Amino acid sequence: MARGIFISFEGSEGGGKSTQIALLESALQERGITVRRTREPGGTLLGERLRDLLQHTPELEDLCDEAELLLFGASRAQLVREVIRPALESGTWVIADRFLDSTTVYQGIGRGLGAESVNAVNAVAVGASRPDVTFLLDLDAATGHARARAASGDRPDRIENQPPAFFERIRAGYLDLAAANPDRIVLIDASRPVAAVADAIWKECERRFSHELHG
Protein backbone atom coordinates (compact mmCIF):
# COMPACT_ATOMS: atom_id res chain seq x y z
CA MET A 1 0.00 0.00 0.00
CA ALA A 2 1.30 3.45 -0.93
CA ARG A 3 2.13 5.81 1.90
CA GLY A 4 -0.26 8.69 2.44
CA ILE A 5 0.67 12.32 1.82
CA PHE A 6 1.39 14.59 4.78
CA ILE A 7 0.25 18.22 4.36
CA SER A 8 0.59 20.90 7.04
CA PHE A 9 -0.87 24.38 7.27
CA GLU A 10 0.93 27.19 9.05
CA GLY A 11 0.54 30.91 9.70
CA SER A 12 -0.27 33.34 12.43
CA GLU A 13 -3.75 33.65 13.92
CA GLY A 14 -6.56 34.84 11.65
CA GLY A 15 -5.07 33.62 8.38
CA GLY A 16 -7.91 31.26 7.54
CA LYS A 17 -6.22 27.91 8.15
CA SER A 18 -9.36 26.16 9.40
CA THR A 19 -11.38 27.26 6.38
CA GLN A 20 -8.75 26.20 3.87
CA ILE A 21 -8.12 22.87 5.59
CA ALA A 22 -11.84 22.06 5.40
CA LEU A 23 -11.97 22.99 1.71
CA LEU A 24 -8.91 20.90 0.85
CA GLU A 25 -10.23 17.95 2.84
CA SER A 26 -13.51 18.10 0.90
CA ALA A 27 -11.72 18.34 -2.44
CA LEU A 28 -9.59 15.29 -1.64
CA GLN A 29 -12.53 13.26 -0.38
CA GLU A 30 -14.44 14.00 -3.59
CA ARG A 31 -11.61 12.20 -5.37
CA GLY A 32 -11.90 9.16 -3.15
CA ILE A 33 -8.95 9.96 -0.90
CA THR A 34 -9.18 9.13 2.80
CA VAL A 35 -8.14 12.11 4.92
CA ARG A 36 -7.27 12.48 8.60
CA ARG A 37 -7.21 16.00 10.05
CA THR A 38 -5.12 16.86 13.08
CA ARG A 39 -4.58 20.00 15.12
CA GLU A 40 -1.90 21.21 17.49
CA PRO A 41 -1.89 21.11 20.32
CA GLY A 42 -4.49 18.37 20.36
CA GLY A 43 -5.57 15.36 18.37
CA THR A 44 -5.08 12.82 21.18
CA LEU A 45 -6.33 12.57 24.74
CA LEU A 46 -3.00 13.90 25.99
CA GLY A 47 -2.91 16.61 23.34
CA GLU A 48 -6.40 17.88 24.09
CA ARG A 49 -5.65 18.06 27.82
CA LEU A 50 -2.46 19.99 27.07
CA ARG A 51 -4.34 22.25 24.67
CA ASP A 52 -6.70 23.26 27.45
CA LEU A 53 -3.79 23.89 29.81
CA LEU A 54 -1.80 25.89 27.26
CA GLN A 55 -4.62 28.01 25.91
CA HIS A 56 -7.40 28.32 28.42
CA THR A 57 -6.10 27.95 31.97
CA PRO A 58 -5.88 31.38 33.65
CA GLU A 59 -3.69 30.02 36.43
CA LEU A 60 -0.98 29.30 33.85
CA GLU A 61 -0.63 32.86 32.60
CA ASP A 62 2.89 32.84 34.08
CA LEU A 63 3.90 29.55 32.47
CA CYS A 64 7.60 29.88 31.65
CA ASP A 65 8.63 29.78 28.00
CA GLU A 66 10.73 26.64 28.40
CA ALA A 67 7.83 24.72 29.94
CA GLU A 68 5.57 25.89 27.12
CA LEU A 69 8.06 24.57 24.56
CA LEU A 70 8.22 21.17 26.21
CA LEU A 71 4.44 20.86 26.55
CA PHE A 72 3.96 21.58 22.85
CA GLY A 73 6.65 18.99 22.15
CA ALA A 74 4.91 16.40 24.32
CA SER A 75 1.61 16.95 22.52
CA ARG A 76 3.31 16.60 19.13
CA ALA A 77 5.25 13.47 20.08
CA GLN A 78 2.05 11.69 21.09
CA LEU A 79 0.21 12.91 17.98
CA VAL A 80 2.93 11.66 15.64
CA ARG A 81 3.08 8.20 17.15
CA GLU A 82 -0.60 7.68 17.91
CA VAL A 83 -2.20 9.31 14.87
CA ILE A 84 0.04 10.68 12.10
CA ARG A 85 2.43 7.78 11.47
CA PRO A 86 -0.25 5.06 11.55
CA ALA A 87 -2.48 7.08 9.23
CA LEU A 88 0.27 7.68 6.67
CA GLU A 89 1.36 4.04 6.79
CA SER A 90 -2.24 2.97 6.04
CA GLY A 91 -2.36 5.19 2.95
CA THR A 92 -4.40 7.95 4.55
CA TRP A 93 -3.56 11.56 3.74
CA VAL A 94 -2.95 13.70 6.82
CA ILE A 95 -3.76 17.42 6.93
CA ALA A 96 -2.24 19.06 10.00
CA ASP A 97 -3.43 22.35 11.43
CA ARG A 98 0.07 23.36 12.59
CA PHE A 99 3.09 21.14 13.07
CA LEU A 100 6.76 21.61 13.94
CA ASP A 101 7.09 24.96 12.13
CA SER A 102 4.74 26.53 14.67
CA THR A 103 7.14 25.70 17.48
CA THR A 104 10.11 26.87 15.44
CA VAL A 105 8.44 30.26 15.02
CA TYR A 106 6.26 30.79 18.10
CA GLN A 107 8.63 29.47 20.73
CA GLY A 108 11.95 29.86 18.93
CA ILE A 109 11.38 33.38 17.64
CA GLY A 110 8.25 34.70 19.34
CA ARG A 111 9.41 33.59 22.80
CA GLY A 112 13.07 34.07 21.96
CA LEU A 113 14.22 30.57 22.91
CA GLY A 114 16.39 30.24 19.83
CA ALA A 115 16.88 27.58 17.19
CA GLU A 116 19.09 25.15 19.12
CA SER A 117 16.61 24.35 21.91
CA VAL A 118 13.60 24.31 19.61
CA ASN A 119 15.25 22.10 17.00
CA ALA A 120 16.28 19.62 19.69
CA VAL A 121 12.71 19.34 21.02
CA ASN A 122 11.25 19.09 17.51
CA ALA A 123 13.72 16.35 16.58
CA VAL A 124 12.67 14.21 19.54
CA ALA A 125 8.96 14.92 19.00
CA VAL A 126 8.68 14.19 15.28
CA GLY A 127 11.69 12.08 14.33
CA ALA A 128 11.56 11.50 10.57
CA SER A 129 7.88 12.51 10.26
CA ARG A 130 8.02 15.69 8.21
CA PRO A 131 5.32 17.19 5.96
CA ASP A 132 5.54 16.58 2.23
CA VAL A 133 4.32 20.14 1.73
CA THR A 134 3.49 23.03 4.04
CA PHE A 135 1.10 25.81 3.07
CA LEU A 136 1.98 29.05 4.84
CA LEU A 137 -1.04 31.36 4.85
CA ASP A 138 0.49 34.81 5.07
CA LEU A 139 -1.43 37.85 6.27
CA ASP A 140 -0.29 41.12 7.77
CA ALA A 141 -0.06 40.81 11.54
CA ALA A 142 -2.58 43.51 12.46
CA THR A 143 -5.33 42.11 10.22
CA GLY A 144 -4.72 38.55 11.34
CA HIS A 145 -4.74 39.46 15.01
CA ALA A 146 -7.98 41.42 14.62
CA ARG A 147 -9.64 38.49 12.82
CA ALA A 148 -8.53 36.04 15.51
CA ARG A 149 -9.85 38.18 18.33
CA ALA A 150 -13.17 38.63 16.55
CA ALA A 151 -13.47 34.89 15.98
CA SER A 152 -12.80 34.21 19.67
CA GLY A 153 -15.63 36.51 20.72
CA ASP A 154 -13.06 38.86 22.20
CA ARG A 155 -12.04 36.10 24.64
CA PRO A 156 -8.50 35.47 23.37
CA ASP A 157 -6.43 32.51 24.52
CA ARG A 158 -2.90 32.83 25.94
CA ILE A 159 -1.31 33.13 22.51
CA GLU A 160 -3.90 35.47 20.98
CA ASN A 161 -3.53 37.74 24.01
CA GLN A 162 0.08 38.62 23.17
CA PRO A 163 0.99 42.22 22.20
CA PRO A 164 1.15 43.31 18.53
CA ALA A 165 4.96 43.18 18.46
CA PHE A 166 4.80 39.44 19.19
CA PHE A 167 2.73 38.82 16.06
CA GLU A 168 5.03 40.98 13.96
CA ARG A 169 7.89 38.70 15.03
CA ILE A 170 5.80 35.65 14.22
CA ARG A 171 5.05 36.80 10.69
CA ALA A 172 8.67 37.74 10.03
CA GLY A 173 9.79 34.38 11.40
CA TYR A 174 7.44 32.48 9.12
CA LEU A 175 8.58 34.44 6.08
CA ASP A 176 12.22 33.71 6.92
CA LEU A 177 11.39 30.03 7.37
CA ALA A 178 9.64 29.92 3.99
CA ALA A 179 12.63 31.54 2.32
CA ALA A 180 14.94 28.95 3.90
CA ASN A 181 12.74 25.98 2.88
CA PRO A 182 11.37 26.78 -0.60
CA ASP A 183 11.03 23.13 -1.63
CA ARG A 184 8.62 22.34 1.21
CA ILE A 185 6.95 25.59 2.26
CA VAL A 186 4.55 27.24 -0.20
CA LEU A 187 3.78 30.87 0.59
CA ILE A 188 0.11 31.73 0.03
CA ASP A 189 -1.31 35.27 0.12
CA ALA A 190 -4.16 34.86 2.62
CA SER A 191 -5.49 38.39 2.05
CA ARG A 192 -7.19 37.22 -1.15
CA PRO A 193 -10.78 35.87 -1.32
CA VAL A 194 -11.30 32.41 0.16
CA ALA A 195 -11.94 30.82 -3.24
CA ALA A 196 -8.74 32.27 -4.71
CA VAL A 197 -6.68 30.96 -1.81
CA ALA A 198 -8.27 27.52 -2.11
CA ASP A 199 -7.58 27.47 -5.85
CA ALA A 200 -3.90 28.28 -5.30
CA ILE A 201 -3.59 25.49 -2.74
CA TRP A 202 -5.30 22.96 -5.00
CA LYS A 203 -3.17 23.83 -8.01
CA GLU A 204 -0.04 23.28 -5.94
CA CYS A 205 -1.35 19.92 -4.75
CA GLU A 206 -2.02 18.88 -8.33
CA ARG A 207 1.46 19.99 -9.35
CA ARG A 208 3.15 18.04 -6.57
CA PHE A 209 0.89 15.01 -6.25
CA SER A 210 -0.58 14.49 -9.71
CA HIS A 211 0.19 10.76 -9.70
CA GLU A 212 -1.45 10.21 -6.31
CA LEU A 213 -4.48 12.32 -7.23
CA HIS A 214 -5.09 10.88 -10.69
CA GLY A 215 -3.54 7.45 -10.49
Side-chain angles (χ1 to χ4, degrees), residues 41 50-72 107 111 113 158-159 162:
L50 291 175
R51 183 183 185 89
D52 186 63
L53 284 171
L54 285 161
Q55 295 187 350
H56 304 294
T57 305
E59 293 81 3
L60 291 183
E61 283 297 321
D62 295 328
L63 181 70
C64 74
D65 296 339
E66 292 81 2
E68 181 182 85
L69 168 65
L70 293 170
L71 289 174
F72 274 110
Q107 281 70 51
R111 301 299 196 196
L113 293 178
R158 286 181 63 253
I159 299 297
Q162 297 301 306

Side-chain angles (χ1 to χ4, degrees), residues 159-179:
I159 299 297
E160 293 168 350
N161 207 30
Q162 297 301 306
F166 178 85
F167 295 100
E168 294 289 353
R169 293 197 301 274
I170 295 304
R171 186 189 187 197
Y174 269 126
L175 292 175
D176 288 344
L177 197 61

Side-chain angles (χ1 to χ4, degrees), residues 75-153:
S75 176
R76 184 169 300 126
Q78 187 68 25
L79 183 66
V80 165
R81 289 153 183 83
E82 183 178 327
V83 177
I84 293 176
R85 282 183 187 169
L88 293 172
E89 289 168 2
S90 73
T92 296
W93 288 40
V94 174
I95 305 179
D97 185 346
R98 301 195 179 283
F99 197 57
L100 80 166
D101 296 318
S102 285
T103 294
T104 299
V105 174
Y106 276 80
Q107 281 70 51
I109 296 170
R111 301 299 196 196
L113 293 178
E116 184 175 356
S117 296
V118 170
N119 289 343
V121 171
N122 275 338
V124 172
V126 309
S129 299
R130 307 291 169 121
D132 295 294
V133 65
T134 297
F135 292 107
L136 172 55
L137 303 186
D138 178 55
L139 188 66
D140 74 88
T143 300
H145 194 202
R147 285 184 184 179
R149 289 186 71 98
S152 68

